[in-house]
Amino acid sequence: MNHQIIEKDRFQVVGIKRTFSLVNGENHTGIAKMWEEVHQNGTVKLLSSLNNGSLKGLIGVCTAHSDDQSGQTIDYWIAAEYNGEVPNGLLALEIPASKWGIFEVRGSMPEAIQTAWEQIFSEWLPSQHYKLAGTPQLEVYPDDDPTSPDFYSEIWVRLQ
């Protein structure tokens, strides 16, 4: 897997958030549907217009769900890096300063990103001296056609 390890200062994202179950892959279908909805309802255009940080495009943010001690649910954000006052109707999340593993993903969505996540957890992490530093974990999507077979995106995982 093509990847790099970087350090990045804290930053803020703004966007929308939903909670998904991890049981039986419900998160895969639910998150894909969430992306379809935000493309249709104009949220993608709004977030793209707000993006004023160093991460260009949209960001899918996976965080631990604060009320779930079992680890069976996650919060998933569709967001953009944004410095400023939080616009009405959106939520803000501060992403802490971290060491990140950044993995290249090539292929149409959502299949390519789902496959890459599986490879990171089943192949890359077990063979490395790094451990996950917890959430958040990021999916970075440039402003291109996500259905293209050559679509480029990235997965960012916090490392320790």
Side-chain angles (χ1 to χ4, degrees), residues 121-142:
F121 284 102
S122 67
E123 298 170 20
W124 189 84
L125 271 172
S127 69
Q128 301 298 311
H129 65 277
Y130 293 108
K131 295 189 183 330
L132 290 179
T135 60
Q137 298 168 352
L138 312 177
E139 301 167 344
V140 180
Y141 300 102

Side-chain angles (χ1 to χ4, degrees):
M1 299 188 77
N2 289 337
H3 69 282
Q4 61 178 315
I5 308 296
I6 68 159
E7 302 267 347
K8 182 168 174 52
D9 288 335
R10 68 177 179 80
F11 60 98
Q12 175 180 274
V13 299
V14 296
I16 61 169
K17 171 181 77 166
R18 292 193 189 153
T19 301
F20 294 97
S21 171
L22 297 173
V23 177
N24 296 323
E26 291 176 29
N27 55 314
H28 292 299
T29 55
I31 291 170
K33 184 175 180 179
M34 183 181 178
W35 277 101
E36 287 176 24
E37 290 171 10
V38 298
H39 277 281
Q40 293 171 355
N41 69 19
T43 303
V44 163
K45 287 182 183 178
L46 171 63
L47 292 173
S48 293
S49 72
L50 292 172
N51 185 304
N52 63 6
S54 63
L55 287 177
K56 299 303 177 197
L58 297 179
I59 305 169
V61 183
C62 301
T63 63
H65 183 64
S66 59
D67 295 335
D68 180 13
Q69 301 300 325
S70 70
Q72 294 298 306
T73 58
I74 60 165
D75 287 335
Y76 187 84
W77 296 67
I78 296 177
E81 186 175 355
Y82 178 72
N83 299 306
E85 191 170 321
V86 180
N88 287 339
L90 298 178
L91 302 170
L93 176 67
E94 185 168 306
I95 308 294
S98 300
K99 178 184 293 184
W100 296 94
I102 303 173
F103 298 84
E104 292 182 13
V105 180
R106 295 202 183 269
S108 64
M109 296 297 124
E111 297 83 9
I113 204 87
Q114 292 171 356
T115 299
W117 277 115
E118 290 172 17
Q119 289 176 323
I120 290 167
F121 284 102
S122 67
E123 298 170 20
W124 189 84
L125 271 172
S127 69
Q128 301 298 311
H129 65 277
Y130 293 108
K131 295 189 183 330
L132 290 179
T135 60
Q137 298 168 352
L138 312 177
E139 301 167 344
V140 180
Y141 300 102
D143 293 329
D144 290 323
D145 177 9
T147 63
S148 167
D150 298 324
F151 181 68
Y152 175 85
S153 58
E154 297 172 340
I155 292 176
W156 291 42
V157 294
R158 290 181 61 216
L159 300 172
Q160 57 184 12

